[in-house]
Amino acid sequence: MADSADVAQTARVGPDPEVSGYARVLDDTQIARGGVVRGYAVVADKAAVTDSAVVRGHPRVSGDALIRDGAFVEENATVCGDAEVCGTRVKGHAVVCGNARASGPVENRAVVCETGVVDPDELYDGVEVVRAVFGQARECHHHLCD
């Protein structure tokens, strides 16, 4: 752990974690099995970063979100609620929230929420995915994850 990182006493960290830079690991979070949190990343509430997943840059992971299996959440992305990111990349200003599942890349300003599922063979880049309906719908109130 870097001296500049902030890790709450209530957080479960280990085995083989990396928390560095100015990262903040708060509340009842879990960083386990090679999970990495670095830069200015914030992991809060009951979120988990596990199985060699990496959260770096300025992202926020919160709620009961699960980042696993070598996934990357980076830049200014947000993953919150009960969302799960598995073995893929979420970056830019992308948001994955609600009960969404992402096993394919979500980038730039794409939003996946409610029960949206990102197919591993597709790239979601700058479109919103709401309740698994594609387009520019504005029904997803992802600000509730703040």
Side-chain angles (χ1 to χ4, degrees):
M1 295 327 136
D3 288 340
S4 54
D6 180 10
V7 178
Q9 290 182 340
T10 53
R12 292 168 289 152
V13 180
D16 302 321
E18 177 191 328
V19 180
S20 61
Y22 294 92
R24 297 174 60 207
V25 175
L26 308 173
D27 307 314
D28 296 317
T29 56
Q30 179 180 0
I31 312 300
R33 295 189 303 274
V36 174
V37 181
R38 64 168 69 128
Y40 291 88
V42 175
V43 180
D45 302 322
K46 294 182 180 180
V49 178
T50 186
D51 301 317
S52 301
V54 177
V55 177
R56 66 183 180 194
H58 291 85
R60 181 171 180 87
V61 177
S62 62
D64 289 311
L66 174 60
I67 314 301
R68 65 182 180 92
D69 295 341
F72 282 83
V73 177
E74 53 194 347
E75 297 173 4
N76 295 295
T78 300
V79 180
C80 58
D82 291 315
E84 183 176 329
V85 177
C86 177
T88 193
R89 190 173 303 271
V90 177
K91 69 179 193 174
H93 291 276
V95 175
V96 179
C97 63
N99 290 310
R101 301 290 177 258
S103 56
V106 182
E107 300 182 357
N108 297 323
R109 296 191 180 278
V111 175
V112 181
C113 65
E114 298 300 330
T115 56
V117 176
V118 177
D119 186 307
D121 297 323
E122 297 290 332
L123 166 65
Y124 295 91
D125 181 355
V127 298
E128 289 193 357
V129 181
V130 179
R131 294 183 182 91
V133 176
F134 303 89
Q136 291 298 322
R138 298 288 179 199
E139 298 174 29
C140 179
H141 301 288
H142 58 81
H143 63 274
L144 297 176
C145 294
D146 294 337

